[in-house]
Each structure stands twice: as structure tokens, then as C-alpha cells.
Amino acid sequence: MVRDPTHQPGLPADFLWGFATAAYQIEGGANDDGRGPSIWDSFCKIPGKIADGSSGDVACDSYHRHTEDIELLKKTGAMAYRFSISWSRVIPLGGRNDPINQAGIDYYVKLVDDLYAAGITPLVTLFHWDLPDELYKRYDGFLNKDEFVADFERYARVVFEALPNVKHWITFNEPYCSAVLGHNWGIFAPGHTSDRKRFHRGDSSREPWIVGHNILIAHAHAVKLYRDEFKPKNGGEIAITLNGDWAEAWDPEDPEDVQAAQRRLEFWMGWYADPVYFGRYPTSMREQLGDRLPNFTPEESALLKGSNDFYGMNHYCANYIKHKPASEPFDPFDHQGHLESLQENKAGEAVGPKTQSFWLQPSAPGFRKLLNWISERYGRPKILVTENGTSILGENDKSKEEILQDDFRVWYFETYVEAMAQAVAIDGVDVRGYMGWSLMDNFEWAEGYETRFGVTYVDYKNNQQRFPKRSALELKNIFAKYIGKLPAVNGEINGVVDAEQA
Ligand code: GBH
């Protein structure tokens, strides 16, 4: 479905772009105004879990500086801002019968109001990994389906009620990470793993699949709640955001590598997107995992099917995929589909340049390919790119002047936005918006503050001062090359929809 007959990259006139952040990574104010601890507050206290021994206690101090953040957004020309809500700031203990913290709600109400006043559209993520610690202590958090689903639904209700003007909702950010990094490798909170040297509890062969399953069901319940009780009066759209990097065959001549690359896409995205679009798990996962992969009841499956108003896509890089021999037994801890994920292909070529993140070597053509894969598999859904960005090798060791001249990040955005504009105009993929990760340097989870993803330099040693890097100001120019090359689509993702239109 070519939208530009001249085969030039382009984006619709009403394309929405901006930047993203997440609560625990930027807010700080960990003990302010009644916020309760999350599993990340606890995880950071365990020696050895965070590279630089840091935490999100202060982070970028955005809890006290949202006005500065909005000024920053205005400087960049951003049209939208994606942020997440800290569940334990709103309901400190987290549970459905636990008290609400009005001060926490007030913070987000003001943030949303001030964003609109500045002409910036808010996109709100309900959950970006920071589960209230009390829910983990009470019932093991994600592992307890009935409790977790009911508590998440009540939390979602409280937030939907408080923020009626928000029209773009994301239920969960990257459930893959809560499941695999949090319950298989144990490098993210709550740290569960079968590796007893790393943590005293966990079952890497089963827990990730239970966690993913329960998050999916919680997502489906929140979507139903929104559609039944809030969408009719507020308009607006809701979806889940999935991480996914492109998978290219290590040896394109080897059909087994080609199949393995496809399997890897199914194990990363299909794990969540197949239930959301089709109401069931991918066949490849069922074959490998058997009854370790939970089953949906018919009601759950029906609730999940069609539970995305758009596809929320986080995307960073690509990998080369090499199959493991079929004769080799499945590793019970494997979560990728019986294969090796590499950063070089058979010819010894690197997938892309190295960055500060061991897992991230950029390759923009992979973005175009993955957009096409999602579009084809799920019936050309509207796609909202909710994160895309890069760290830079050694950035943290450079002088402030050098950091501000982040040409590598500008190159990354240039090539990735172009690849997206090709997918839209030439391949006919329906992308409606794009959020760069991230508005500012922030707490990069297990890597602490050593890895920077921001388009804004945050000087942690000098009172969290913010200085826009070159990339902060360039993204606007990059988008100017493409936006308007295609006519507006007037979709609900762009701008504010009112109840009549919804
Ligand atoms: C995003 O995740 C997060 O949403 C965001 O909070 C974070 O700051 C940003 O990335 C930068 O890291 O499984 O071998 O690939 C990105 C997706 C998926 C990247 C899991 C790291 C772990 C290593 N993440 N991945 S691997």
C-alpha cells in the first residue's frame, strides 16, 4: 500500500512527536508527600544490583521541577510528552482497599494541566515497572493473578477518574522486562531468578510466563474498564506498549536461521501482541514451553482479543539470530525461542556501532522491517512509537561541552526517523506518532546514572541542572523534513478527541 507514488519517505500532516520518560527514572521525591516505596526502591537497596550503587531517590528531581521539564519540552518544539505515573505515589500501599494519596494525584493533575496549557499533548503510562512494594510483600506482586489484576484495575480507575482530559493511555510498559529481567535473569526488580548466587528466590523456568500472563490479564481488565466507563464520556484511546528489537537471520541462506529469527520475534512481541490481537499465544511458544506457558480461560481470551486501540511500540536496535540445533534439548530457562542472539552476522559484520548499552547496536533498516512485520501480522494497526533512542559509548566520561554535542544521537534519530517515514510512505504502515527516549538523562535502571539516554544533559553533581544537547533541538528539524509530505489521517491518536468524535 504505497502512499507516496514517488517513493519518498514522508509522514502525515497530523503526525504527533515528542519525548518520553518514566516516573521512577526521573521523579525523585521518593519520600515526599506520602509516596510509598515501590519494588525499585527496595531493589536499589540490595548491594550489587545497581552498577553505581545509586537509586531513584532524587533522580532528575522532576517531582519538584515539572515546570522546568515543560519549559524544556517547549524549547525542543515537542508536540507531545509521554510520562508514567508512580502507582505508590497515588496509592502508597497499592491495594484496592488502601487509602489514596491526594498529594500524589495533585502532582499529576497539575502536570497534565500545565502540559495542555503549554500546548503539549500528554500520553500517560499507568505502569512503568514500579510496583508498590507492599503488593510484592503481601502476595508476590505479579505472581498472584487475582490480587494483582484486582489491585491494578482499582489503581487504573483512580487515575482515569483523576485525569479525564488525558486521551492517550498506555496500561503497561514492556511487560517482557518485568517478566524476563525481573523474574528470569533477576537484573531488574524484584530480582527473582533461579540463579541462587544472585537471589534467594525465583524459578526462571516458570515465573516469567506467569508474570507475563497476569500482566496481560490486568491489561485487558483495565482496557475494559476504560472502554465501559470512561471512553464514552472522555473519548481517548488505550493500549499496551511492547518492546521489540528487529531479528535478522545470522545466515540469510540458512532456512533454520530465518525460522529462528521469526521465532525470536514471536517470543518477544508475539508473546504479548498475539493474545492482544488474536486471544492466544504463538504456536512456537506453546510448542517449546508446553504447560509452563499458562492457558487463557475462554473469558480471558475474549477479553484480551482486540484490547489495543493502537500498538504501542518501543524500539531500539537489531540483532542477528542463529538457530540452535533441533537435536539440542530446550534450555528450561530459555525465553527467546531456542536460538542465539548475536551482534555480528556470519560474514563477521557488526549489526551497528557500539553504544554504552551492551544490548544496543543501532541499525535503522531493522526499524522499517519491524514496523512492516507488526503491520502485516496484526492487520495494519495504528502504531504509536512510544520509545526510540540511544545511549552513546563513553558519553558519561566526556566533558559537558562534548556531551552537549551529541552528533551520534542526532545521527541515530536521523536514520531511525527516516526508516519510519519510509515504512509509512512507501510501505503503507500506519504510524501515527513517535516519542524519543528520553527527554533527559535519567536513572537507567540496573545501570544507574552511568548510561545516558537523554536529549538533555542532567548535571547530577550540580543540583540536577538541565542543558539541552544538540539532539534536543535537532529532532524538530528532522521531523520537519517528513511531516506534511502525506495528508493528515485525522486519527484519534493525533490531537484531542472529544466524546462526540470517539
Ligand atoms: C526501555 O527498554 C525502557 O522502557 C526504558 O525505561 C529504558 O530507560 C530504555 O529502554 C533504555 O534502556 O534482553 O538482551 O536485549 C528497552 C528495552 C529490553 C532493553 C530488555 C534492554 C535487556 C537486554 N530493553 N533489554 S536484552
Side-chain angles (χ1 to χ4, degrees), residues 390-442:
T390 193
S391 58
I392 301 177
L393 190 62
E395 189 177 20
N396 195 41
D397 306 323
K398 294 181 184 166
S399 69
K400 179 181 154 196
E401 286 62 38
E402 287 173 298
I403 291 180
L404 297 186
Q405 200 58 39
D406 61 342
D407 297 346
F408 182 84
R409 190 171 283 107
V410 172
W411 165 81
Y412 180 97
F413 285 132
E414 276 169 353
T415 57
Y416 272 75
V417 172
E418 183 189 27
M420 174 174 71
Q422 288 167 332
V424 171
I426 303 168
D427 311 332
V429 178
D430 191 8
V431 189
R432 304 291 181 95
Y434 172 103
M435 303 298 127
W437 184 270
S438 175
L439 176 62
M440 55 193 143
D441 294 336
N442 56 48

Side-chain angles (χ1 to χ4, degrees), residues 100-379:
I100 294 171
N101 178 32
Q102 192 56 43
I105 293 190
D106 292 346
Y107 170 68
Y108 296 109
V109 168
K110 178 110 176 73
L111 176 57
V112 166
D113 286 351
D114 290 357
L115 282 165
Y116 275 124
I120 297 165
T121 302
L123 276 53
V124 178
T125 309
L126 290 172
F127 185 84
H128 199 124
W129 307 348
D130 45 357
L131 181 78
D133 203 38
E134 174 65 18
L135 302 186
Y136 176 70
K137 290 186 179 139
R138 254 182 219 170
Y139 56 73
D140 290 342
F142 313 105
L143 288 166
N144 186 324
K145 181 169 87 176
D146 294 341
E147 294 287 342
F148 176 68
V149 170
D151 284 348
F152 183 75
E153 189 177 332
R154 190 286 193 123
Y155 160 59
R157 176 188 293 282
V158 169
V159 177
F160 294 151
E161 269 165 9
L163 305 175
N165 299 330
V166 171
K167 308 301 174 189
H168 312 285
W169 294 98
I170 290 139
T171 54
F172 288 89
N173 180 73
E174 303 189 351
Y176 173 103
C177 293
S178 300
V180 170
L181 307 190
H183 294 80
N184 178 314
W185 301 11
I187 61 169
F188 277 13
H192 285 207
T193 175
S194 285
D195 181 353
R196 288 288 164 269
K197 290 194 290 297
R198 300 181 57 94
F199 207 67
H200 62 277
R201 59 176 298 205
D203 177 352
S204 298
S205 72
R206 288 185 181 271
E207 285 186 359
W209 313 112
I210 297 168
V211 168
H213 191 77
N214 296 347
I215 290 179
L216 274 165
I217 292 167
H219 154 80
H221 278 267
V223 170
K224 179 169 166 37
L225 169 68
Y226 188 72
R227 287 178 178 168
D228 286 354
E229 296 183 35
F230 295 91
K231 192 168 175 143
K233 51 179 192 238
N234 300 340
E237 298 204 316
I238 185 162
I240 195 166
T241 273
L242 306 177
N243 55 301
D245 297 330
W246 176 244
E248 188 76 34
W250 180 76
D251 176 3
E253 305 292 307
D254 183 344
E256 288 191 274
D257 281 357
V258 175
Q259 276 168 25
Q262 171 68 16
R263 247 186 352 262
R264 149 87 171 220
L265 295 168
E266 291 171 1
F267 269 71
W268 277 50
M269 269 100 23
W271 178 7
Y272 296 97
D274 278 22
V276 162
Y277 287 92
F278 309 143
R280 55 170 167 72
Y281 287 117
T283 309
S284 56
M285 293 185 71
R286 181 63 68 196
E287 276 171 2
Q288 178 175 325
L289 302 168
D291 68 1
R292 286 190 287 131
L293 188 65
N295 286 294
F296 296 113
T297 65
E299 295 75 32
E300 288 167 346
S301 166
L303 204 58
L304 268 161
K305 195 173 173 179
S307 61
N308 252 2
D309 291 335
F310 59 89
Y311 186 111
M313 176 185 188
N314 287 358
H315 179 78
Y316 286 86
C317 56
N319 289 104
Y320 287 115
I321 305 302
K322 190 176 183 194
H323 76 277
K324 284 186 180 170
S327 57
E328 196 179 295
F330 292 131
D331 172 355
F333 301 154
D334 173 56
H335 55 88
Q336 315 224 65
H338 196 58
L339 49 88
E340 279 179 87
S341 181
L342 304 164
Q343 289 169 321
E344 276 187 6
N345 65 9
K346 192 182 180 191
E349 296 154 346
V351 64
K354 286 199 188 313
T355 66
Q356 188 61 28
S357 313
F358 71 91
W359 51 272
L360 198 174
Q361 292 188 207
S363 171
F367 190 20
R368 180 174 177 182
K369 289 182 190 178
L370 187 58
L371 284 163
N372 275 280
W373 187 86
I374 292 168
S375 190
E376 278 160 32
R377 189 174 180 95
Y378 302 114

